[in-house]
Amino acid sequence: MERQIFHIDLDSFFVSAEQVLNHDLLGKPVVVGGHPDSRGVVACASYEARKFGLHAGMPIATAHRLCPQTIFLPGNFSLYRDFSARFMDILADFSPDLEPGGLDEAFLDLTGFEPLYGPTRETARRLKSRIRDELEITASIGIATCKVVAKVASDFSKPDGLVEVAAGQEISFLAPLPIKDLPGVGPKMQEALKRFGVSTIGQLAKLPVSLLKDQFGIHGEMIRRHANGIDDRKVKRYDTVKSISRETTLEQDTLDLHLLKATLKHLTERIGADLRLQERQARCVTLKLRYSDFDTITRSQTQKQPTDLDQVIFNVGSELLDNCLSQRRHPIRLIGIGISNLTGPEKQLNLLDTSSQKLAYLDQAIDQIRKKYGFSAIQTGQTLPIRNHLGHTEKHSR
Ligand code: TTP
Ligand code: MG
């Protein structure tokens, strides 16, 4: 049976949430992301502001210059979290196969629901109406036989859109679109592909696999499959995810503690970001080491208090690393870190512990920047020793 995957994404989410609270903001150029004289960047621009060229990631000062009448708002994360939870609740009424991809977007697998719900398009319209009626925010929906095409279709349909790509039409739908519209094709890859004369997804789809593999490794192979509308990734319910881990083979076997810790910090930041995206917390941290003689060990530590803070996860991993090295000082070939024993989103807030509050805000701010510019857009001090070696052979599993 052909799958029926929905990708649902709220339109100009942060601004739309602000407009629900204050109707005076409707129909105006509005930006969430601080004051005009601040050094920050735009997190979200209303569609009216986008007409002036404003977009997420643009420095606030530039936004102000391009459209001085813009209303700048500082942002209110608890408001957005509240809207997000209500949004996900609506989606969960339609199918249990729900995979949130951030606060305002999710995949929903509706395969096999047609006899129960009626035609797919009608279901999508009902879903859009419920979101509009209950949240007062418009959503855009893409429907396709796989995740990547559904995602591109929802972006394509924005704002307040609905695009269904029928089975067999995937390649012809994607072909004319610019490569930047394909998830996973970042600015670096766009630049490299331009050198091969590739500017559309259709051209990308026809490049030899060997060339993409040479240039971009397994990521290149995946991108080529996606450009051909082939993507067998399942919609993964987060409540079925039991653990998250990342590991990397080092460029050279090493005992350099500085480098090992920097790599560990980098891997921790990646799993931490994933954990926070799922709005979950972890109790158990596991370190994995492979020595140069291929001997592989794992060491775990379970904490009383679950956490989603990078620094807390890193501290545990770092301590485990120190212990391992004190027991066996032998060059390390591979290092990995994992978290398991995951709990739900409810946090046991220790109101006296302002330092963990500060860390949470820091993680949140970094997550936002990375969401826009990619993971390596921002580096924390502890990962600087590996700044030129990020992500070469990293493996990720859930
Ligand atoms: P997006 O869904 O990417 O953007 P959007 O909802 O603002 O607009 P669109 O109609 O194109 O979907 O991101 C969702 C929210 O995430 C967005 O409202 C604000 C936040 N965000 C940032 O904080 N920084 C960013 O750079 C981006 C892209 C989003
Ligand atoms: Mg959105």
Side-chain angles (χ1 to χ4, degrees):
M1 183 193 281
E2 291 290 359
R3 293 190 298 162
Q4 287 192 317
I5 310 237
F6 284 27
H7 182 262
I8 308 108
D9 190 307
L10 299 176
D11 298 324
S12 55
F13 175 46
F14 287 4
V15 167
S16 299
E18 300 284 351
Q19 286 169 328
V20 174
L21 287 199
N22 179 359
H23 286 181
D24 289 346
L25 298 170
L26 285 165
K28 294 187 180 152
V30 179
V31 154
V32 168
H35 292 286
D37 50 357
S38 78
R39 284 153 48 88
V41 294
V42 173
C44 174
S46 66
Y47 278 79
E48 290 77 10
R50 292 182 202 191
K51 286 188 195 136
F52 293 86
L54 276 55
H55 57 79
M58 173 182 275
I60 295 284
T62 314
H64 185 244
R65 190 159 38 76
L66 288 176
C67 181
Q69 68 271 39
T70 303
I71 300 164
F72 290 90
L73 303 171
N76 176 351
F77 281 95
S78 58
L79 174 74
Y80 312 144
R81 279 200 180 276
D82 179 49
F83 270 96
S84 175
R86 288 161 56 206
F87 169 56
M88 297 300 170
D89 282 349
I90 296 174
L91 300 186
D93 277 351
F94 283 75
S95 164
D97 289 318
L98 164 68
E99 179 181 327
L103 289 177
D104 84 327
E105 65 178 289
F107 289 105
L108 203 57
D109 191 336
L110 282 147
T111 310
F113 277 94
E114 229 162 355
L116 195 65
Y117 288 167
T120 311
R121 252 176 185 281
E122 284 311 312
T123 308
R125 284 204 192 95
R126 270 206 312 282
L127 180 49
K128 275 167 65 77
S129 316
R130 265 199 69 186
I131 295 169
R132 197 186 47 237
D133 295 347
E134 292 177 30
L135 303 184
E136 293 181 63
I137 294 182
T138 57
S140 297
I141 301 185
I143 309 171
T145 56
C146 66
K147 283 165 98 173
V148 71
V149 179
K151 162 94 177 136
V152 175
S154 76
D155 285 346
F156 181 81
S157 78
K158 274 183 171 294
D160 198 13
L162 170 57
V163 165
E164 182 179 4
V165 180
Q169 300 298 310
E170 293 85 356
I171 293 182
S172 55
F173 166 70
L174 294 174
L177 301 175
I179 45 175
K180 71 166 174 41
D181 287 1
L182 195 66
V185 179
K188 263 197 181 153
M189 199 170 190
Q190 285 169 45
E191 204 48 49
L193 287 170
K194 219 163 89 186
R195 287 200 295 275
F196 294 106
V198 170
S199 59
T200 65
I201 300 179
Q203 291 165 332
L204 173 59
K206 292 200 186 105
L207 281 185
V209 185
S210 54
L211 184 136
L212 283 161
K213 204 172 159 186
D214 272 4
Q215 296 288 318
F216 312 107
I218 48 168
H219 184 66
E221 285 181 89
M222 186 192 75
I223 289 292
R224 187 179 185 278
R225 278 198 304 278
H226 288 182
N228 281 287
I230 300 166
D231 175 10
D232 55 14
R233 288 174 303 162
K234 292 199 170 62
V235 172
K236 219 171 186 178
R237 287 192 220 173
Y238 273 144
D239 59 7
T240 62
V241 174
K242 298 272 186 281
S243 66
I244 305 170
S245 66
R246 275 189 187 253
E247 60 185 46
T248 189
T249 302
L250 300 154
E251 288 192 337
Q252 280 171 353
D253 300 347
T254 184
L255 261 175
D256 179 345
L257 198 58
H258 219 57
L259 186 72
L260 288 169
K261 293 224 166 156
T263 309
L264 192 64
K265 183 70 171 35
H266 166 69
L267 297 171
T268 303
E269 288 176 2
R270 299 214 74 140
I271 56 173
D274 206 354
L275 188 67
R276 290 187 294 278
L277 191 64
Q278 298 175 32
E279 299 189 6
R280 300 179 79 185
Q281 305 213 14
R283 251 205 196 97
C284 181
V285 177
T286 301
L287 175 81
K288 175 174 173 181
L289 293 179
R290 179 168 297 142
Y291 293 100
S292 58
D293 58 5
F294 279 83
D295 186 22
T296 306
I297 59 164
T298 57
R299 296 287 179 270
S300 299
Q301 202 186 98
T302 301
Q303 308 286 105
K304 266 205 211 106
Q305 192 84 339
T307 186
D308 64 358
L309 296 175
D310 290 350
Q311 194 61 42
V312 175
I313 300 167
F314 172 71
N315 288 346
V316 178
S318 176
E319 203 178 300
L320 291 168
L321 176 64
D322 290 337
N323 290 342
C324 290
L325 290 179
S326 69
Q327 279 162 19
R328 185 175 184 216
R329 274 195 76 73
H330 192 77
I332 307 290
R333 174 184 166 80
L334 170 148
I335 184 165
I337 187 159
I339 40 181
S340 54
N341 206 336
L342 305 184
T343 63
E346 63 292 333
K347 292 193 186 179
Q348 295 184 3
L349 261 193
N350 182 348
L351 294 176
L352 294 176
D353 184 2
T354 53
S355 66
S356 76
Q357 276 283 324
K358 271 189 204 145
L359 287 173
Y361 287 133
L362 179 66
D363 284 346
Q364 200 171 52
I366 292 175
D367 288 345
Q368 292 298 339
I369 295 169
R370 285 180 166 153
K371 184 166 180 238
K372 168 65 187 162
Y373 292 109
F375 193 86
S376 24
I378 187 164
Q379 265 201 275
T380 55
Q382 280 157 304
T383 67
L384 286 177
I386 55 160
R387 65 178 165 278
N388 297 322
H389 314 275
L390 285 178
H392 287 315
T393 55
E394 216 171 291
K395 261 175 49 190
H396 174 209
S397 58
R398 286 209 303 234

mmCIF file of all heavy atoms in Angstrom, residues 21-22 51 54 63 70 77 93 122 161 169-170 191 262-263 306 351 370 378:
data_model
loop_
_atom_site.group_PDB
_atom_site.id
_atom_site.type_symbol
_atom_site.label_atom_id
_atom_site.label_comp_id
_atom_site.label_asym_id
_atom_site.label_seq_id
_atom_site.Cartn_x
_atom_site.Cartn_y
_atom_site.Cartn_z
ATOM 1 N N LEU A 21 -2.550 36.846 20.709
ATOM 2 C CA LEU A 21 -2.664 37.621 21.956
ATOM 3 C C LEU A 21 -3.003 39.074 21.698
ATOM 4 O O LEU A 21 -3.633 39.732 22.508
ATOM 5 C CB LEU A 21 -1.339 37.590 22.728
ATOM 6 C CG LEU A 21 -0.925 36.311 23.437
ATOM 7 C CD1 LEU A 21 0.134 36.631 24.481
ATOM 8 C CD2 LEU A 21 -2.120 35.638 24.090
ATOM 9 N N ASN A 22 -2.523 39.586 20.570
ATOM 10 C CA ASN A 22 -2.713 41.006 20.289
ATOM 11 C C ASN A 22 -3.148 41.194 18.830
ATOM 12 O O ASN A 22 -2.304 41.233 17.929
ATOM 13 C CB ASN A 22 -1.390 41.744 20.574
ATOM 14 C CG ASN A 22 -1.497 43.227 20.279
ATOM 15 O OD1 ASN A 22 -2.559 43.709 19.847
ATOM 16 N ND2 ASN A 22 -0.410 43.948 20.499
ATOM 17 N N LYS A 51 7.523 40.472 2.646
ATOM 18 C CA LYS A 51 7.404 41.206 1.372
ATOM 19 C C LYS A 51 8.510 42.236 1.230
ATOM 20 O O LYS A 51 8.869 42.633 0.126
ATOM 21 C CB LYS A 51 6.042 41.898 1.291
ATOM 22 C CG LYS A 51 4.912 40.950 1.034
ATOM 23 C CD LYS A 51 3.626 41.713 0.773
ATOM 24 C CE LYS A 51 2.443 40.770 0.894
ATOM 25 N NZ LYS A 51 1.317 41.326 1.647
ATOM 26 N N LEU A 54 12.461 40.656 4.546
ATOM 27 C CA LEU A 54 12.892 40.198 5.871
ATOM 28 C C LEU A 54 12.728 38.679 5.973
ATOM 29 O O LEU A 54 11.765 38.119 5.447
ATOM 30 C CB LEU A 54 12.054 40.872 6.965
ATOM 31 C CG LEU A 54 12.524 42.262 7.405
ATOM 32 C CD1 LEU A 54 12.635 43.220 6.246
ATOM 33 C CD2 LEU A 54 11.623 42.823 8.492
ATOM 34 N N ALA A 63 16.993 44.239 9.165
ATOM 35 C CA ALA A 63 15.531 44.166 9.047
ATOM 36 C C ALA A 63 14.922 45.556 9.267
ATOM 37 O O ALA A 63 14.042 45.987 8.525
ATOM 38 C CB ALA A 63 14.969 43.173 10.061
ATOM 39 N N THR A 70 8.484 48.081 10.806
ATOM 40 C CA THR A 70 8.325 46.759 11.437
ATOM 41 C C THR A 70 8.137 46.887 12.947
ATOM 42 O O THR A 70 8.807 47.700 13.596
ATOM 43 C CB THR A 70 9.588 45.906 11.186
ATOM 44 O OG1 THR A 70 9.796 45.815 9.794
ATOM 45 C CG2 THR A 70 9.445 44.497 11.761
ATOM 46 N N PHE A 77 8.919 32.444 24.959
ATOM 47 C CA PHE A 77 9.021 31.014 24.690
ATOM 48 C C PHE A 77 7.941 30.190 25.378
ATOM 49 O O PHE A 77 7.499 29.184 24.832
ATOM 50 C CB PHE A 77 10.410 30.487 25.037
ATOM 51 C CG PHE A 77 11.399 30.808 23.969
ATOM 52 C CD1 PHE A 77 12.208 31.927 24.049
ATOM 53 C CD2 PHE A 77 11.497 29.988 22.839
ATOM 54 C CE1 PHE A 77 13.095 32.230 23.035
ATOM 55 C CE2 PHE A 77 12.379 30.287 21.821
ATOM 56 C CZ PHE A 77 13.179 31.414 21.922
ATOM 57 N N ASP A 93 -4.846 13.584 17.610
ATOM 58 C CA ASP A 93 -6.225 13.099 17.440
ATOM 59 C C ASP A 93 -6.412 12.412 16.095
ATOM 60 O O ASP A 93 -7.366 11.675 15.899
ATOM 61 C CB ASP A 93 -7.210 14.282 17.485
ATOM 62 C CG ASP A 93 -7.540 14.666 18.914
ATOM 63 O OD1 ASP A 93 -7.140 13.910 19.819
ATOM 64 O OD2 ASP A 93 -8.192 15.708 19.099
ATOM 65 N N GLU A 122 -9.727 15.684 2.149
ATOM 66 C CA GLU A 122 -10.759 16.157 3.084
ATOM 67 C C GLU A 122 -10.230 16.126 4.518
ATOM 68 O O GLU A 122 -10.471 17.039 5.307
ATOM 69 C CB GLU A 122 -12.023 15.283 2.974
ATOM 70 C CG GLU A 122 -12.843 15.574 1.736
ATOM 71 C CD GLU A 122 -13.088 17.067 1.577
ATOM 72 O OE1 GLU A 122 -13.485 17.709 2.565
ATOM 73 O OE2 GLU A 122 -12.849 17.602 0.466
ATOM 74 N N GLY A 161 -1.437 26.704 3.013
ATOM 75 C CA GLY A 161 -1.589 25.902 1.805
ATOM 76 C C GLY A 161 -1.861 24.443 2.061
ATOM 77 O O GLY A 161 -1.832 23.957 3.195
ATOM 78 N N GLN A 169 4.211 10.972 -8.926
ATOM 79 C CA GLN A 169 4.479 12.353 -9.369
ATOM 80 C C GLN A 169 5.653 12.982 -8.617
ATOM 81 O O GLN A 169 5.950 14.171 -8.796
ATOM 82 C CB GLN A 169 3.249 13.246 -9.130
ATOM 83 C CG GLN A 169 1.997 12.798 -9.851
ATOM 84 C CD GLN A 169 2.194 12.824 -11.352
ATOM 85 O OE1 GLN A 169 2.651 13.818 -11.895
ATOM 86 N NE2 GLN A 169 1.909 11.714 -12.010
ATOM 87 N N GLU A 170 6.305 12.213 -7.764
ATOM 88 C CA GLU A 170 7.337 12.782 -6.882
ATOM 89 C C GLU A 170 8.440 13.473 -7.686
ATOM 90 O O GLU A 170 8.805 14.621 -7.404
ATOM 91 C CB GLU A 170 7.956 11.693 -5.981
ATOM 92 C CG GLU A 170 7.009 11.094 -4.944
ATOM 93 C CD GLU A 170 6.163 9.947 -5.491
ATOM 94 O OE1 GLU A 170 6.259 9.652 -6.705
ATOM 95 O OE2 GLU A 170 5.384 9.365 -4.715
ATOM 96 N N GLU A 191 26.800 25.460 -2.831
ATOM 97 C CA GLU A 191 27.975 26.053 -3.476
ATOM 98 C C GLU A 191 28.716 24.996 -4.294
ATOM 99 O O GLU A 191 29.052 25.202 -5.465
ATOM 100 C CB GLU A 191 28.885 26.599 -2.348
ATOM 101 C CG GLU A 191 29.826 27.695 -2.736
ATOM 102 C CD GLU A 191 29.152 28.807 -3.528
ATOM 103 O OE1 GLU A 191 28.068 29.312 -3.101
ATOM 104 O OE2 GLU A 191 29.695 29.138 -4.584
ATOM 105 N N ALA A 262 36.858 17.727 23.725
ATOM 106 C CA ALA A 262 36.191 18.617 22.763
ATOM 107 C C ALA A 262 35.241 17.807 21.884
ATOM 108 O O ALA A 262 34.110 18.220 21.607
ATOM 109 C CB ALA A 262 37.230 19.332 21.901
ATOM 110 N N THR A 263 35.696 16.622 21.462
ATOM 111 C CA THR A 263 34.852 15.767 20.621
ATOM 112 C C THR A 263 33.634 15.302 21.414
ATOM 113 O O THR A 263 32.495 15.318 20.918
ATOM 114 C CB THR A 263 35.661 14.544 20.132
ATOM 115 O OG1 THR A 263 36.872 15.013 19.556
ATOM 116 C CG2 THR A 263 34.886 13.739 19.114
ATOM 117 N N PRO A 306 16.608 13.423 36.132
ATOM 118 C CA PRO A 306 16.763 13.448 34.681
ATOM 119 C C PRO A 306 17.136 14.851 34.196
ATOM 120 O O PRO A 306 16.809 15.832 34.868
ATOM 121 C CB PRO A 306 15.376 13.058 34.159
ATOM 122 C CG PRO A 306 14.442 13.331 35.264
ATOM 123 C CD PRO A 306 15.209 13.269 36.545
ATOM 124 N N LEU A 351 13.643 25.454 41.883
ATOM 125 C CA LEU A 351 13.558 26.910 41.783
ATOM 126 C C LEU A 351 14.759 27.620 42.378
ATOM 127 O O LEU A 351 15.049 28.759 42.042
ATOM 128 C CB LEU A 351 12.272 27.397 42.471
ATOM 129 C CG LEU A 351 11.007 26.935 41.760
ATOM 130 C CD1 LEU A 351 9.783 27.356 42.537
ATOM 131 C CD2 LEU A 351 10.949 27.490 40.350
ATOM 132 N N ARG A 370 21.003 27.217 15.799
ATOM 133 C CA ARG A 370 21.365 26.048 14.989
ATOM 134 C C ARG A 370 20.230 25.608 14.094
ATOM 135 O O ARG A 370 20.443 25.075 13.025
ATOM 136 C CB ARG A 370 21.780 24.905 15.916
ATOM 137 C CG ARG A 370 23.150 25.160 16.467
ATOM 138 C CD ARG A 370 23.571 24.059 17.379
ATOM 139 N NE ARG A 370 24.979 24.148 17.625
ATOM 140 C CZ ARG A 370 25.576 23.693 18.713
ATOM 141 N NH1 ARG A 370 24.872 23.096 19.636
ATOM 142 N NH2 ARG A 370 26.868 23.816 18.854
ATOM 143 N N ILE A 378 27.266 27.550 15.230
ATOM 144 C CA ILE A 378 27.712 28.125 16.494
ATOM 145 C C ILE A 378 28.529 27.071 17.213
ATOM 146 O O ILE A 378 28.176 25.900 17.222
ATOM 147 C CB ILE A 378 26.496 28.579 17.335
ATOM 148 C CG1 ILE A 378 26.946 29.338 18.569
ATOM 149 C CG2 ILE A 378 25.600 27.446 17.735
ATOM 150 C CD1 ILE A 378 25.803 30.128 19.202
#
